[in-house]
Amino acid sequence: MAEMGKGVTAGKLASNVQKKLTRAQEKVLQKLGKADETRDTAFEEGVTNFNKQMLEGSKLQKDLKAYLVAVKTMHEASRRLQDCLADMYEPDWFGKEEVDAMVEDTDSLWTDYHQKLVDQSLISMDTYLAQFPDVKARIAKRDRKLVDYDSARHHFASLQKGKKKDDVKMAKAEEELARSQKVFDEINVDLQEELPALWNSRVGFYVNTFQGMAGYQEKFHKEMAKLNVNLNDIMTKLDEQRLVKKGAKTGTPVKSDGANHNATSDSPTKTDSAEAAADTAGSPVTNGSDGVDMPDGFTFKVKAMHDYAATDGDELDMKAGDVVLVIAFDNPDEQDDGWLMGVKEDHWLQHKNMSIKGVFPENFTQRL
């Protein structure tokens, strides 16, 4: 017989057409209530769970892909921002090398984070969903084979009830019924085992997926937080460098450690400051004291006009508005040009001790 197509003969084509017609007729009879339908409540519940699981998995895959796109977008935005910082950061600014290294480290963190999400979460998600199409196809095949079985069962029953019994037709119908039942049972048994197992596997998959993502996120944000802290420290030092340079132009003193004092001709000298403090120390304590007990060596009060962040252990942190009690140095030779020694007034009035005294630049303050 001539072929109708690759692997399909006219006889096979006719057989397939006949099967479809028989199934359609059987379904019509079942819907009209003229033929009973084989039902399996447990299996139908399994199919409902399967469809729910497949829908949820597809949504999770879609949202995960959207999240990865967002991560990649954030990575690109972060890279542009970091590159901008590196490009505009001048060579003589504090921490230039550290900033350049930080830009590279930030980019590497984003790359590693995105790649781990792709390798571990997305690929795992794709593998998980890959099993659904085959199961869905076999469920549909089972439904067709169940209709064939019901049709064969009804046909055989009708022959049995007939007044004129044809042994040949009866034997053929019984053979078709047995064959249909065997085909249906084979695929039905497999699915009866697979569907519950597949349904129960979703919990472990969700646990592994989100635990993995949580771990990647935790590591990423922890390492990124370290870089942010370092960047903040560098910016603080850069601002201090700016203030020092600004002070150098306007006469702001720079505390030295025995090197160049960077003092201008208008800055107070170490001797002048020491003599002024000594002269005042020998006078009655009336400079802003208002009769309140003042620390030994008190000379006068000053008010901080700008914030000052201590950079050494012997320096005094100040916020704009703080009132500081200036005291004489124990050893005048230790005083740097333009620097004063003092303790915050509120600390002194509350504790009456000098535990947090320190030095500070005089031109950050105004004498009261």
Side-chain angles (χ1 to χ4, degrees):
M1 186 174 289
E3 289 188 350
M4 302 296 292
K6 186 176 181 180
V8 180
T9 63
K12 188 173 182 179
L13 181 61
S15 175
N16 290 337
V17 171
Q18 183 60 45
K19 281 184 178 180
K20 290 182 180 180
L21 290 174
T22 303
R23 288 167 184 163
Q25 182 180 11
E26 180 68 21
K27 287 183 178 180
V28 170
L29 292 174
Q30 289 175 353
K31 288 182 179 180
L32 293 175
K34 294 183 178 182
D36 63 297
E37 178 182 2
T38 302
R39 302 294 298 270
D40 186 336
T41 304
F43 183 82
E44 291 172 1
E45 182 181 349
V47 172
T48 299
N49 290 338
F50 170 81
N51 290 330
K52 180 176 183 291
Q53 183 179 2
M54 182 171 59
L55 183 64
E56 291 176 346
S58 298
K59 183 179 184 304
L60 177 58
Q61 182 189 49
K62 179 181 178 181
D63 291 341
L64 179 57
K65 287 182 177 180
Y67 179 77
L68 286 171
V69 170
V71 169
K72 189 172 183 179
T73 300
M74 278 297 298
H75 180 191
E76 293 172 352
S78 173
R79 181 191 297 131
R80 290 194 296 269
L81 184 62
Q82 295 289 326
D83 288 344
C84 179
L85 173 63
D87 290 342
M88 70 183 186
Y89 212 90
E90 298 180 9
D92 61 336
W93 287 2
F94 178 88
K96 170 60 177 173
E97 293 183 359
E98 288 84 348
V99 168
D100 290 341
M102 196 175 303
V103 169
E104 295 181 4
D105 291 343
T106 300
D107 185 62
S108 296
L109 273 180
W110 277 108
T111 301
D112 182 64
Y113 177 48
H114 182 269
Q115 194 59 48
K116 282 184 176 178
L117 287 174
V118 172
D119 292 342
Q120 304 298 326
S121 299
L122 185 60
I123 293 179
S124 177
M125 184 82 244
D126 292 342
T127 302
Y128 172 73
L129 286 181
Q131 59 191 325
F132 287 92
D134 174 66
V135 177
K136 183 179 180 181
R138 287 192 290 131
I139 290 174
K141 183 177 180 180
R142 175 193 177 276
D143 290 343
R144 294 193 300 271
K145 298 307 178 183
L146 179 58
V147 173
D148 292 343
Y149 167 71
D150 282 342
S151 178
R153 180 168 56 84
H154 293 148
H155 179 57
F156 180 68
S158 66
L159 291 177
Q160 284 182 320
K161 295 177 182 179
K163 293 180 180 180
K164 292 181 62 178
K165 298 189 183 301
D166 187 327
D167 292 339
V168 176
K169 287 185 177 181
M170 287 280 292
K172 186 176 180 181
E174 186 175 10
E175 182 182 345
E176 179 63 22
L177 175 60
R179 189 192 66 78
S180 298
Q181 183 173 3
K182 181 181 179 181
V183 172
F184 169 74
D185 286 343
E186 287 177 354
I187 188 171
N188 183 56
V189 169
D190 289 342
L191 288 173
Q192 291 280 11
E193 295 177 355
E194 288 183 40
L195 289 182
L198 181 60
W199 173 249
N200 292 331
S201 71
R202 75 194 192 286
V203 178
F205 173 75
Y206 295 155
V207 169
N208 291 335
T209 298
F210 284 96
Q211 273 189 343
M213 289 185 64
Y216 307 145
Q217 289 177 343
E218 180 183 15
K219 181 180 179 181
F220 170 76
H221 290 299
K222 184 177 180 180
E223 295 301 321
M224 191 63 73
K226 292 179 181 179
L227 292 179
N228 288 334
V229 169
N230 292 340
L231 180 60
N232 184 62
D233 290 343
I234 291 174
M235 293 298 103
T236 299
K237 296 293 185 182
L238 177 61
D239 191 47
E240 292 173 0
Q241 182 186 55
R242 176 186 65 84
L243 291 174
V244 169
K245 289 183 177 181
K246 180 179 179 182
K249 294 180 180 180
T250 60
T252 303
V254 179
K255 184 167 75 71
S256 71
D257 53 359
N260 184 5
H261 288 192
N262 293 329
T264 66
S265 58
D266 295 330
S267 301
T269 63
K270 177 170 59 178
T271 304
D272 292 340
S273 298
E275 289 176 353
D279 290 343
T280 310
S283 303
V285 180
T286 58
N287 262 347
S289 64
D290 297 327
V292 179
D293 289 338
M294 292 295 175
D296 292 339
F298 169 74
T299 57
F300 55 88
K301 293 182 181 181
V302 295
K303 180 178 181 180
M305 306 306 294
H306 310 282
D307 291 351
Y308 179 73
T311 58
D312 288 327
D314 65 339
E315 295 181 1
L316 183 68
D317 269 315
M318 295 188 303
K319 297 292 184 183
D322 285 347
V323 175
V324 181
L325 306 179
V326 178
I327 58 177
F329 280 76
D330 295 334
N331 181 359
D333 291 336
E334 295 179 353
Q335 183 174 7
D336 291 316
D337 295 341
W339 289 79
L340 299 176
M341 173 78 75
V343 61
K344 292 181 181 179
E345 183 181 49
D346 57 355
H347 175 81
W348 170 257
L349 294 177
Q350 184 176 357
H351 302 286
K352 298 294 183 181
N353 64 50
M354 305 286 287
S355 61
I356 58 169
K357 70 177 180 179
V359 296
F360 58 91
E362 183 177 6
N363 67 341
F364 273 57
T365 65
Q366 180 177 354
R367 184 164 177 167
L368 299 179

